[in-house]
Amino acid sequence: MRSIFAAAGCADEEAGLIARELVGANLAGHDSHGVVRVPLYVDWMREGWVRAGQRAEVVTDGGAFVVLDGNEGFGQTIATEAVALGIERAGANGTCIVALRNSGHIGRVGAYAETALAAGLVSIHFVNVAGSPLVAPFGAVERRFSTAPFAVGIPLPERPVVLDFATSLVAEGKVQVASFGGRPLPPDALIGPDGMTSSDPHVLYGDYGPTDLRRPSGGDGAIRAFGEHKGSGLALMCELLAGAFTAGGCAGPLDGPRKGITNGMLSIYLSPAHFGTQAEFERIGREYLDWVLGARPSDPAAPVLAPGDPEAASREARLAEGVPLPVDTWAAIVRTAEGLGVPTPA
Ligand code: NAD
């Protein structure tokens, strides 16, 4: 993966960062945000929709808060810089708010919450995708929200908690994975213009061949917001905070065709040490979490899990056994590599 991005024009360090984050998403079990994205990213680079070698530019520096512009650079570079700045400021002052706009696709948002956790910080992230309406609000059949993810990281001792999800019923990448023959979608994940729910990726992408790029402009249906009116409301808040408040733009209205993925992210970093509650926070929080997890499961074979547990379990298993990929995903990556003259393993 690193060789592909280097051949496509990224400096070696950036190519490595992109590869590491994508494979990291596969390891965490989120194949939707893993190497399945490689052909699309390379395509977007060619189109000029994402740019190598960019830095997060400071637009406003208020000390306790910072506004950053990502200049359409690779999200793996830009968000990494934004998170590092938030961690540094919160480490110094106890809290920091970072409003990031115009970043290329930042991928799995939980990865940034995990970075903050490693520095002992609570972090809260509202994210949107500017100019990418894919999701129908509660009660609608037309696309109005992006998949607008939301993430929170809580640094409890030995058992950090990371909640990280798209506010759509499924992330778009999961529709991609299903379209490549991977895990099928829930039966009510999508909605057609006729108001009928569906699990068929063609509702979102229209017609496609086995290794074709999947383009959401091809279909006339939508992904549904999760959690009925409540999830739909959270999606709206992600759009307003990550899209409007950062001034990067909401999912629409569109003034042109969708161009790759441009993320906005409003992040809040909190240092329990500075708030003076660290010891109680850790004790009470850990005791409470253990009590929550001790609830009698409805299925005796499936213990109650904390957010972040499935990712940790997947990481352990896949680091040991490798990352399985659908044949068509691998074929699309090989085709991209060959197009760039990068040798691929048999
Ligand atoms: P998902 O539906 O798999 O939900 C994941 C969350 O639920 C995690 O916090 C996980 O730990 C928790 N979870 C899963 N099973 C659980 C269980 N049994 N008990 C308790 N908790 C459980 O995730 P998703 O909505 O498909 O999102 C996938 C990824 O897509 C996320 O990493 C998200 O950040 C990313 N995403 C990114 C963008 C972007 O524009 N950058 C857009 C959308 C989604």
Side-chain angles (χ1 to χ4, degrees), residues 30 33 105 107-109 147 149 162-164 166 174 263 305 308 311:
H30 289 287
H33 286 68
H105 188 222
R108 186 177 75 90
V109 182
T147 53
V162 183
L163 179 66
D164 167 32
K174 297 226 156 97
N263 278 134
L305 300 176
E311 287 76 11

Side-chain angles (χ1 to χ4, degrees), residues 60 94 135 173 187 204 211 216 238 268 275:
T60 309
V135 179
L204 196 68
T211 61
C238 287
I268 302 165
F275 278 69

